[in-house]
Amino acid sequence: MTITAAVDGSALGNPGPGGWAWVVDAGCWDAGGWPRATNNLGELTAVLELLRATAAAGRADEPLHVLADSQYAINVITKWRHGWRKRGWQKADKKPIANLETIQAIDREIAGRAVTFEWVRGHAGHPLNEMADDRARGAAEAIQAGRPAPSGPGFSGARSLAPSPIGDGSGSDGLADGGDGRDRDDRSALVLAAEKRFLRAWIAGDERGLADLAAPGSRRGWPDGTVREGLAGPAPAAPRIGRIAAAPAGPGTWLTTYTMRWEGGASLESSVWAPADADGSAAPPAPEDGGPRLLWHQSTLRR
Amino acid sequence: MTITAAVDGSALGNPGPGGWAWVVDAGCWDAGGWPRATNNLGELTAVLELLRATAAAGRADEPLHVLADSQYAINVITKWRHGWRKRGWQKADKKPIANLETIQAIDREIAGRAVTFEWVRGHAGHPLNEMADDRARGAAEAIQAGRPAPSGPGFSGARSLAPSPIGDGSGSDGLADGGDGRDRDDRSALVLAAEKRFLRAWIAGDERGLADLAAPGSRRGWPDGTVREGLAGPAPAAPRIGRIAAAPAGPGTWLTTYTMRWEGGASLESSVWAPADADGSAAPPAPEDGGPRLLWHQSTLRR
RNA sequence: UGACACCGUUUUUG
DNA sequence: CAAAAACGGTGTCA
């Protein structure tokens, strides 16, 4: 069955607090945002997240029809992207392409999929577009007010585990970023933030979040001694994380270690983070955010 | 006293309907345009017209400071022009110089004058530059809409002879353009504007301005019954112009008639205007503006 | 290769 | 009504 979804972005003040949203129907949507973004980044991200959500739900083989009111986003994806890729991701005027990382992420995500776009005039009463508009703006407004952006249900079947306290960023779990104090080293702070992102995604069963963080060829050593490709797998309920130590392991590479406790158990965890651009493959991974990528993670039960 | 003025050009669609403007202050400016022009012709013409207006006002000996946002125009006038003249008006690559006639006109007009240029970034909030921008674009839009470009008051002392009400565009002399009412025929309006330009140039003794309006082989019948080539010649002081009537005289050709009065006399005046491209000569005149050209003008004393 | 200008289009805001 | 974020193009020169 063809999936039809509306996407929209919003940026209060442009640039300013921003949000994105995709909507399939009243019970199937998602949204998110940032403290500072442009309108066009919102529009693009909405498409990217829709692509990922459908893929994570195992529905990448179904045709996807996207309703968008941004001619910019539609042109980027259906037209300009191809010329840019041919020219080595350069614009006609040689000036840098805006929102490049998100565009490249879409470029990878959309490969081999059947996606069509339809332009709908903004604020013209189209119900799905209105809903996406509301959600995107709601996300931006939430973030402007200092609250986390309300995320939607997504596709049913995208994650199977119960929500964990780590996922809501409330700070009670020791995983909160920023705010009170800054980490003592700017570069290690980047790795610490990435580790926390990884933990939240893993515990929430957020496969696309994990994929964002994974280095090409990433693997994991599980508590049972097995190794599997990828980062996804079962997580304990309501874990508590000890202090995370980050140690440099070479230019751009970091090792993190910490302990984890949960009802009935504890473990030692370690991760190896590699720089985003640290592979010599012909097609660079060009990660969406330029941050470090998780190459290896290992868990050992404590007893 | 140093005269400071901003200049700007505009071309809708580039090339397309175009305009030029110079602004000294809110009460001292001028503007004009063509049905088809390039942005750079507009920028250059604005400078040329400023040079002519200051000269016609008898202020050629005062230093002139020009604010321009076009590096092209500034470089043409302050740098490249000299090299081109030395090399017989040829570029280094031997390809033809663009806008050559206007550049040579500036080259002649600027000789012996103290003119300095200052580059101001476009659309950066510089008040004088913004004003010139508005005027130039307004002229281009007027012409696109089929109206004559609204011309400004120019300099208050714009003729070496006794000041005439024709020059100041106040409307009391019947030479004011635009503003309150539009001329009832769009094409005749173009001819009327040209006729007014001709009158201003003649009365001001502006030979260059007259040459711009002259068709190849233009002649004039003077009140004494003689005929001479060209359009320049003695003008009465402080003439007053009656209503100008424009009548179509063939495809693109117009006849205008009106009366003129001055202290101690009156006359009947008539002009024949031909389309700019209406000659089969081998070397086309390539008139600066593409507007109609004055082929014949005749004066008869009234008595 | 660079620079400036001139436009066209859509969206997003205030 | 005015502005920002984005893209495409032309006009010009060294």
Side-chain angles (χ1 to χ4, degrees), chain A residues 145-162:
Chain A
R147 304 187 314 267
S151 63
F155 278 89
S156 57
R159 58 174 110 12
S160 37
L161 302 178

Side-chain angles (χ1 to χ4, degrees), chain B residues 77-96:
Chain B
I77 299 171
T78 65
K79 299 199 177 82
W80 304 330
R81 170 175 67 110
H82 306 104
W84 292 340
R85 194 185 331 95
K86 276 179 209 154
R87 285 183 248 118
W89 297 105
Q90 276 220 334
K91 281 200 305 180
D93 61 6
K94 300 297 180 71
K95 279 194 282 243

Side-chain angles (χ1 to χ4, degrees), chain A:
Chain A
M1 267 305 295
T2 294
I3 303 168
T4 297
V7 295
D8 203 10
S10 164
L12 289 337
N14 194 27
W20 56 265
W22 57 261
V23 177
V24 170
D25 58 46
C28 181
W29 58 278
D30 201 359
W34 320 263
R36 187 178 175 81
T38 65
N39 62 333
N40 289 330
L41 179 64
E43 313 270 9
L44 249 14
T45 303
V47 176
L48 175 60
E49 294 292 336
L50 173 62
L51 253 12
R52 287 180 174 164
T54 47
R59 301 179 63 177
D61 50 350
E62 299 179 37
L64 178 60
H65 188 64
V66 182
L67 308 173
D69 63 18
S70 164
Q71 191 161 303
Y72 164 72
I74 293 178
N75 282 332
V76 161
I77 300 171
T78 65
K79 297 198 177 84
W80 302 332
R81 168 173 67 104
H82 305 104
W84 292 339
R85 192 180 335 93
K86 276 180 209 154
R87 281 182 248 127
W89 298 104
Q90 276 215 338
K91 277 203 306 182
D93 61 5
K94 300 301 181 66
K95 282 197 273 257
I97 296 166
N99 310 310
L100 180 57
E101 310 200 342
T102 304
I103 291 167
Q104 290 178 323
I106 291 173
D107 188 57
R108 279 177 273 119
E109 205 75 37
I110 209 172
R113 294 189 53 173
V115 186
T116 53
F117 288 85
E118 180 182 345
W119 182 73
V120 296
R121 167 149 248 125
H123 309 277
H126 195 293
L128 230 44
N129 175 262
E130 300 277 306
M131 220 181 297
D133 186 62
D134 284 351
R135 300 270 140 81
R137 173 174 264 268
E141 286 173 345
I143 283 177
Q144 186 175 40
R147 304 187 314 267
S151 63
F155 278 89
S156 57
R159 58 174 110 12
S160 37
L161 302 178
S164 134
I166 293 181
D168 65 5
S170 65
S172 64
D173 57 1
L175 286 179
D177 295 326
D180 48 354
R182 61 189 60 191
D183 291 282
R184 57 189 179 287
D185 181 273
D186 280 345
R187 287 169 328 200
S188 73
L190 234 53
V191 176
L192 291 175
E195 187 77 45
K196 291 168 190 171
R197 246 179 99 190
F198 157 68
L199 281 168
R200 288 199 196 94
W202 171 42
I203 296 164
D206 175 11
E207 297 201 11
R208 64 174 147 77
L210 289 173
D212 277 348
L213 291 164
S218 66
R219 294 174 306 149
R220 234 181 119 159
W222 293 93
D224 65 358
T226 63
V227 169
R228 292 201 288 279
E229 295 191 12
L231 302 176
R240 298 187 61 82
I241 310 298
R243 181 178 173 282
I244 302 174
T253 304
W254 292 82
L255 170 68
T256 61
T257 52
Y258 50 93
T259 56
M260 190 162 70
R261 293 174 189 282
W262 62 93
E263 188 75 21
S267 67
L268 167 67
E269 308 287 324
S270 71
S271 296
V272 177
W273 293 89
D277 52 356
D279 83 320
S281 65
E288 194 183 343
D289 56 16
R293 315 285 283 175
L294 185 49
L295 186 62
W296 170 255
H297 182 89
Q298 183 168 359
S299 304
T300 305
L301 280 180
R302 266 177 130 176
R303 28 169 275 137

Side-chain angles (χ1 to χ4, degrees), chain B residues 147-243:
Chain B
R147 282 174 285 123
S151 62
F155 277 89
S156 51
R159 38 217 91 48
S160 42
L161 309 178
S164 145
I166 294 181
D168 63 9
S170 63
S172 63
D173 58 357
L175 284 180
D177 296 327
D180 47 354
R182 61 190 59 194
D183 291 281
R184 57 189 178 288
D185 182 270
D186 282 340
R187 288 171 326 205
S188 74
L190 236 53
V191 176
L192 291 175
E195 185 77 46
K196 292 168 188 170
R197 242 180 103 189
F198 157 68
L199 281 169
R200 290 202 192 90
W202 171 41
I203 295 165
D206 176 12
E207 299 203 9
R208 193 56 56 196
L210 289 173
D212 279 345
L213 289 165
S218 67
R219 295 175 304 151
R220 220 177 137 164
W222 294 92
D224 65 359
T226 61
V227 171
R228 292 200 288 278
E229 294 193 13
L231 303 176
R240 299 185 61 83
I241 309 300
R243 182 177 172 282

Side-chain angles (χ1 to χ4, degrees), chain B residues 25-43:
Chain B
D25 60 46
C28 181
W29 58 278
D30 201 2
W34 320 263
R36 186 177 176 81
T38 66
N39 63 330
N40 290 330
L41 178 65
E43 315 271 8

